[in-house]
Amino acid sequence: MPKGSPELTASRKEEIVNACEKLYQTMSFKDITLKEISVETSFSRPSIYNYFQTKEEIFLALMQREYELWAAELNTLADENSAMSAEDFASALAHSLEKRQQLLKLLAMNHYDMEEHSRPERLTEFKAAYGVSLDAVRACLDKFFPYIDKEHFIYVFFPFLFGVYPYSVATQKQLDAMREAKLDFKMHSIYEIIYSCVLQLLCRKI
C-alpha cells in the first residue's frame, strides 16, 4: 500500500470501484480487465495493484459497497417506522433491492469467482458487510414482526436473492431462444419477484 492519508487511500479505492461499476453496466465480467478499469481512472494500471491485486477483488469491493448501502437503507427503515404491515414491509424491501440491481447481478453471475480470487483480508471485509446486511434485515423483523421465525426468513430469503436477476433480466438472445423453444415463461420485475417472496415468508403459518 502506498504512503498517504487514509482519506487518499479511500478515495483512490472508491475511484477504482466506481470505474468497475461503470464498465459492468455495458460489459461482461469476463471482458473487464484491470487495463480497462485503469482507463476509467485518473492513474495507471500498475497503481491499481497498490489497492487491489485482482479484478475479482475490485468486484468484491463493489458488492461489499452494495451490501453496505442496502443495510444502511434498511436500518433507516427500522429507525423511521414504529410499525409496518406485511404488505408495506414487503414493498419497502422490494424497492430497496430494486435499486441494488448491481448487487443482484453480481450474486447471480460471479459471486464464487470473486471470493475465490480475493485475498483473505479482502474476503473478511466483504463477509463483515454481508453480516451487516443480515443484521439489518433481522433488526427490521425484530421490530415489525417479532412473532415470526426470523432465522427461517433469513435462510430462505438470502439464498433466494441469488436467483432474482436471471428471472427478471434477460438478453434479447435469451428471449429469442425461449420463444424458439416455445417456453411458456413470463419475465417479472425485480420488485414483483421480491415482493411476492417476502409477503409469503411473512404470512406463512407458523
Side-chain angles (χ1 to χ4, degrees), residues 101-137:
Q101 183 170 314
Q102 289 278 40
L103 172 61
L104 298 174
K105 183 179 179 182
L106 289 165
L107 284 173
M109 297 184 177
N110 309 110
H111 194 177
Y112 180 83
D113 285 337
M114 287 184 289
E115 292 200 359
E116 184 66 16
H117 296 94
S118 295
R119 287 169 290 172
E121 57 268 33
R122 298 287 82 83
L123 184 55
T124 298
E125 291 173 0
F126 166 73
K127 292 298 185 183
Y130 174 68
V132 168
S133 72
L134 288 170
D135 290 341
V137 172

Side-chain angles (χ1 to χ4, degrees), residues 124-177:
T124 298
E125 291 173 0
F126 166 73
K127 292 298 185 183
Y130 174 68
V132 168
S133 72
L134 288 170
D135 290 341
V137 172
R138 285 193 184 99
C140 287
L141 297 176
D142 277 334
K143 185 169 187 178
F144 305 134
F145 311 100
Y147 55 85
I148 74 164
D149 183 343
K150 290 180 286 296
E151 292 313 303
H152 173 81
F153 185 103
I154 292 294
Y155 287 111
V156 171
F157 183 66
F158 275 80
F160 155 82
L161 292 180
F162 282 76
V164 171
Y165 186 86
Y167 277 85
S168 57
V169 180
T171 65
Q172 189 58 51
K173 182 178 181 180
Q174 290 170 324
L175 292 172
D176 290 343

Side-chain angles (χ1 to χ4, degrees), residues 53-142:
Q53 288 190 355
T54 64
K55 78 170 183 180
E56 286 83 4
E57 287 191 353
I58 302 173
F59 273 96
L60 194 69
L62 171 58
M63 190 156 66
Q64 176 181 332
R65 185 172 71 183
E66 288 290 299
Y67 269 126
E68 289 168 347
L69 291 170
W70 182 44
E73 183 170 350
L74 294 181
N75 286 329
T76 299
L77 184 70
D79 291 340
E80 294 182 349
N81 293 274
S82 58
M84 295 189 80
S85 67
E87 291 81 3
D88 287 344
F89 180 69
S91 181
L93 193 54
H95 278 309
S96 74
L97 283 161
E98 191 176 37
K99 292 181 283 187
R100 307 257 78 84
Q101 183 170 314
Q102 289 278 40
L103 172 61
L104 298 174
K105 183 179 179 182
L106 289 165
L107 284 173
M109 297 184 177
N110 309 110
H111 194 177
Y112 180 83
D113 285 337
M114 287 184 289
E115 292 200 359
E116 184 66 16
H117 296 94
S118 295
R119 287 169 290 172
E121 57 268 33
R122 298 287 82 83
L123 184 55
T124 298
E125 291 173 0
F126 166 73
K127 292 298 185 183
Y130 174 68
V132 168
S133 72
L134 288 170
D135 290 341
V137 172
R138 285 193 184 99
C140 287
L141 297 176
D142 277 334

Side-chain angles (χ1 to χ4, degrees), residues 36-53:
E36 296 277 357
I37 293 172
S38 71
V39 170
E40 298 292 331
T41 68
S42 61
F43 41 92
S44 65
R45 181 175 60 175
S47 297
I48 290 180
Y49 289 107
N50 292 319
Y51 306 96
F52 300 100
Q53 288 190 355

